Amino acid sequence: MRNYDLEFLKRFSMVIALLMAITLGLILFAAYLHTRIPPEISPQAAKRTELRIAPAGAVYAGATGMADQAAAKAAALAKAASQVAYGGTTDGKVIFDNLCTACHTTGVGQAPTLDHAHWDGRLGQGKDTLYKHAIEGYTGPDGGIMPPKGGNPALTEEQIHATVDWMLANLK
């Protein structure tokens, strides 16, 4: 080897050793600082973390799961019952115009329109049956579909009775 090659290797080795020493010093300094900084105790940050890692859903299994599902269903029904549709009005025309008109004026889903040709066979079953089908829903043998409470669970039975009575009174 030549003399200047040896000189280069000597200086290059010293630079590498110096860089390694600086790196080791920085690592030790960072570890020291890490032990001196207190952990974050902010309640808002802890709450955000809990919300981020919370499970997206729950598993219902066995008797406990069935009880939880029944409780959830009861809570949903109670919430729906507590809401009053259309301001609690028992004016059948108001309810018909806002909810029923979409199907019962066009015949969508084979809904009977407001004429005697569609209703005379149903009237023979009695008003109680018509009320029951309007409240509980009905799927006819011809494929006609009536959703429970016309699709609005917030309707009361009195509102449904008033609407059915209004529809029957306005048959053409």
Side-chain angles (χ1 to χ4, degrees):
M1 268 185 149
R2 296 187 188 158
N3 203 12
Y4 59 88
D5 287 339
L6 289 174
E7 189 64 31
F8 171 77
L9 285 175
K10 183 177 172 186
R11 288 184 188 220
F12 185 72
S13 298
M14 287 187 340
V15 168
I16 295 297
L18 178 68
L19 289 175
M20 286 175 54
I22 291 173
T23 302
L24 184 62
L26 288 174
I27 290 172
L28 292 174
F29 182 65
Y32 170 76
L33 285 180
H34 183 69
T35 61
R36 296 293 178 206
I37 297 173
E40 186 174 343
I41 308 174
S42 168
Q44 292 85 7
K47 189 173 185 177
R48 283 192 310 264
T49 301
E50 287 296 321
L51 289 174
R52 246 189 347 262
I53 64 174
V59 176
Y60 294 107
T64 304
M66 289 181 2
D68 288 344
Q69 284 181 333
K73 184 176 181 180
L77 289 174
K79 183 177 179 183
S82 69
Q83 298 174 352
V84 180
Y86 308 112
T89 184
T90 55
D91 182 1
K93 179 173 176 32
V94 171
I95 298 169
F96 180 85
D97 288 344
N98 286 297
L99 180 65
C100 311
T101 190
C103 297
H104 286 285
T105 56
T106 61
V108 171
Q110 297 182 356
T113 56
L114 295 180
D115 57 69
H116 284 284
H118 288 110
W119 283 92
D120 287 342
R122 290 172 173 85
L123 288 173
Q125 298 173 356
K127 273 190 177 183
D128 290 335
T129 302
L130 296 176
Y131 294 149
K132 179 182 176 193
H133 290 170
I135 293 170
E136 297 175 3
Y138 179 72
T139 301
D142 58 351
I145 298 171
M146 172 66 186
K149 294 187 175 184
N152 188 343
L155 285 174
T156 64
E157 288 191 21
E158 293 79 24
Q159 289 176 309
I160 291 175
H161 287 208
T163 306
V164 170
D165 290 341
W166 183 88
M167 289 172 69
L168 296 177
N170 287 284
L171 293 177
K172 297 176 185 169

